[in-house]
Amino acid sequence: MQDIRPSFDDYDEINSPRAEQTDIDRVIETAISRRGFLGGAMSFGLGSFLVGSTALNRRAAAQTQGARFDFAAVEATTADTVTLPEGYEWKMLVKWGDPLHPDAPEFDPETRGTVESQARAFGDNNDGMALFTRDGRHVFAINNEYTNLDILWGEMAEGEAPTDEQIRKSMMAHGLSVFEIVEGADGWEVKRDSDLNRRVTTDTEMDIAGPAAGHDLLRTSADPEGMMSLGTWNNCGNGRTPWGTYLACEENFNGYYSSSEERAEDAEDTRSEAFRRYGINYSDWGYGWARVDPRFDISAEPNEPNRNGYVVELDPFDPEARPVKRTALGRFKHENAELVINDDGRVVVYMGDDERGEFLYRYVSEGTWAEGQDGGDLLDKGQLYVAVFDPEMTGKWVALTPDATGMSAPEIAIHTRIAASRVGATTMDRPEWVAANPSKPELYVALTNNKNRGVKPNEGGDNQDVNGPNPREVNNYGQILRWTPDNGDHTADGFEWRLFALAGNPVLAEALEGVTDAEMAEPADPGLAVENVYPGSENVTAGNMFNSPDCLAFDTRGMLWILTDGNYSDEGPFEGMGNNQMLAGDTETGEIRRFMVGPRECELTGMQLSPDGKTMFVGVQHPGEDGNSNFPDGGLPRSGVVMITRTDGGVMG
Ligand code: FEO
Ligand code: CA
Ligand code: CA
């Protein structure tokens, strides 16, 4: 797409007439003021609960307020290891390539495994995860989002093409890993001989359910009925249901498709509006999957991409269970799926679409759920909504109905982004994870960053002028937004919102006070311009600076854990922030404290607690993605799940 970024001089005229700027300044001030933390005009209803919150609340009540922040903040660092406060220690639970069956081979760092070994081992680049307990057994379901091809394939000579075997191996490294864990004298470990261990990959058969099932747009030569598909990939964040299933969210599914009909350099782009909006392109992102499986060739199978971009439900306790794609939850670059049960029993799912200028969604089921029931079909019949924010700290959920969008129900489920644009949804700064406070009806979403805010529209042409919850042009750092549904009712049309934190670099901002771009060398990247270095909100300090909040997760005490996937250069606007990190946020006072720093070039993602609360599991994804890490054991960098415990054996969270 042509870069239509105006010059900085143009900004005033296009985006920031003085009155509007003043309004946004006022919004920021109100949004992050202390009043915001103390409740202000926000209404907190009672009675709604998050999945599993009954047990959580019991434990929360047993713990004292004084236990919050029971650690000394760690400093930012670029060390190639896991850094924790004194009194805490870590070790690995599982790493990319570790076998999940007793007769599967150990990982070979020389070959980096084979198609067969990878299909029976923990996948690459773990992201969202959930730990389930049933009948005394503990099972992890974990997303393996994507692969670092340089690492998976090893160094390849310039111009060298991957072999078919290498391509198939990357397919087997994607998907989901499901495995049982047991606690021994030395802590938790993978139970390799469990009958529950399985991988879900690009080859796993799954069903398609909900309004899009069977629609013409889902029919392919392999599946003329449009009712099933093979596999899931690029599963980013996740969700879990109170009926004991796992929700894997398909995010950047588009990057795996390519076209055998190449586009000449000067030829017109003849892709459909939908392909353009979803980033389905003539070439893939280097994976080469179409070479070994023609369904990834969009000129041969133009409907195949319509079968990805969904939330996939899986029963982790049934290794034979077919996963189900729940199309009623919409098709977009799903980050996670935060599910709550409303007071009246209806299932409500909050979801972000992680791309610059895309939207925040909510699903409300038609039927209701009660303890002990199965619920999968509650995710098939319901209403999808998209969020519209106003600068007065309120917002509303707009239903994506045929009347409102001029599209049929199956079309809304398949081309959700286009439907949402038609009702005037508010463009957001890349919505990542949504987390629901377990003790009250209150939601948080990480808006990770957006270099295009105030620069150019989203891929659908929707404007990305600064707006209430996305108040900064060329947003390098990101923010955390929170909202409360009217009357504590998750199905209400309206809500009130505030910002919990605006990330930033207060140290650099202060140092640059009064310095202008003209006095600096003209930066090639607008993100490096002086005017785009922001100090952040008051709760962002020299001691806790971070950028690009991504994963959000509450612990049993109501502490909000913030995990970052941002710029780890430790330079320029990010100077002093070090590697990606995990921080704890007190949602009552607004205080944020750094707890963990990950190894080099990783992101931290996914946080789960053991049932006794004494082990915290955290995902370390893509360490050394640019070749500068040997995490965790001094050799080939490998993603994995870290277990953190207190040296005194106490409860983690
Ligand atoms: Fe896979 Fe939006 O992070
Ligand atoms: Ca993420
Ligand atoms: Ca990520």
Side-chain angles (χ1 to χ4, degrees), residues 331-342:
R331 175 170 165 268
F332 43 90
K333 294 188 178 180
H334 280 281
E335 182 68 24
N336 81 327
E338 182 71 331
L339 191 152
V340 297
I341 302 296
N342 198 45

Side-chain angles (χ1 to χ4, degrees), residues 127 145 236-237 251-252 333-338 350-355 359-360 428-435 444-449 479 483 548-552 563-566 603 605:
D127 203 320
E145 188 180 25
C236 188
E251 192 189 27
N252 293 299
K333 294 188 178 180
H334 280 281
E335 182 68 24
N336 81 327
E338 182 71 331
Y350 293 100
M351 300 169 286
D353 180 354
D354 179 10
E355 189 163 329
F359 311 127
L360 184 66
M428 308 296 284
D429 288 350
R430 294 187 51 202
E432 302 259 18
W433 292 58
V434 179
Y444 291 75
V445 63
L447 301 170
T448 197
N449 58 55
Q479 62 268 17
W483 74 95
S548 307
D550 184 344
C551 177
L552 297 179
L563 295 81
T564 70
D565 176 16
E603 71 170 269
T605 181

Side-chain angles (χ1 to χ4, degrees), residues 454-633:
V455 176
K456 63 180 184 182
N458 72 5
E459 290 298 322
D462 304 317
N463 91 62
Q464 290 203 74
D465 295 349
V466 292
N467 60 43
N470 307 280
R472 302 192 298 201
E473 292 174 355
V474 190
N475 182 6
N476 276 322
Y477 302 112
Q479 62 268 17
I480 298 172
L481 169 73
R482 63 172 163 184
W483 74 95
T484 54
D486 286 353
N487 308 312
D489 177 358
H490 287 282
T491 70
D493 286 340
F495 57 84
E496 293 184 23
W497 65 268
R498 292 286 187 279
L499 294 176
F500 173 68
L502 268 163
N505 193 327
V507 178
L508 186 60
E510 192 180 336
L512 290 175
E513 191 93 20
V515 177
T516 65
D517 272 331
E519 290 164 333
M520 303 275 284
E522 182 75 17
D525 176 350
L528 303 178
V530 170
E531 66 186 63
N532 296 320
V533 172
Y534 300 98
S537 48
E538 270 180 32
N539 53 352
V540 170
T541 66
N544 69 10
M545 295 191 294
F546 62 96
N547 74 87
S548 307
D550 184 344
C551 177
L552 297 179
F554 276 96
D555 70 14
T556 55
R557 292 182 288 209
M559 192 72 86
L560 179 68
W561 293 86
I562 303 160
L563 295 81
T564 70
D565 176 16
N567 187 306
Y568 42 67
S569 66
D570 203 34
E571 291 177 347
F574 312 102
E575 189 180 325
M577 295 182 181
N579 298 342
N580 276 306
Q581 51 186 290
M582 179 166 79
L583 312 101
D586 185 327
T587 59
E588 299 300 322
T589 65
E591 185 183 354
I592 296 171
R593 194 176 293 185
R594 186 185 295 121
F595 175 75
M596 170 183 183
V597 181
R600 286 189 200 134
E601 298 175 357
C602 81
E603 71 170 269
L604 297 180
T605 181
M607 191 285 279
Q608 291 284 282
L609 290 162
S610 59
D612 64 5
K614 292 184 174 178
T615 303
M616 178 181 270
F617 300 93
V618 179
V620 174
Q621 196 195 42
H622 60 74
E625 64 176 357
D626 286 328
N628 297 302
S629 171
N630 299 106
F631 181 83
D633 42 25

Side-chain angles (χ1 to χ4, degrees), residues 5 11 14 33 81 140 186 196 227 264 322 404 407 586 616:
R5 182 174 184 275
Y11 273 124
I14 298 171
S33 70
T81 186
F140 250 126
D186 206 21
L196 299 177
M227 295 298 290
R322 284 167 72 94
M407 296 162 68
D586 185 327
M616 178 181 270

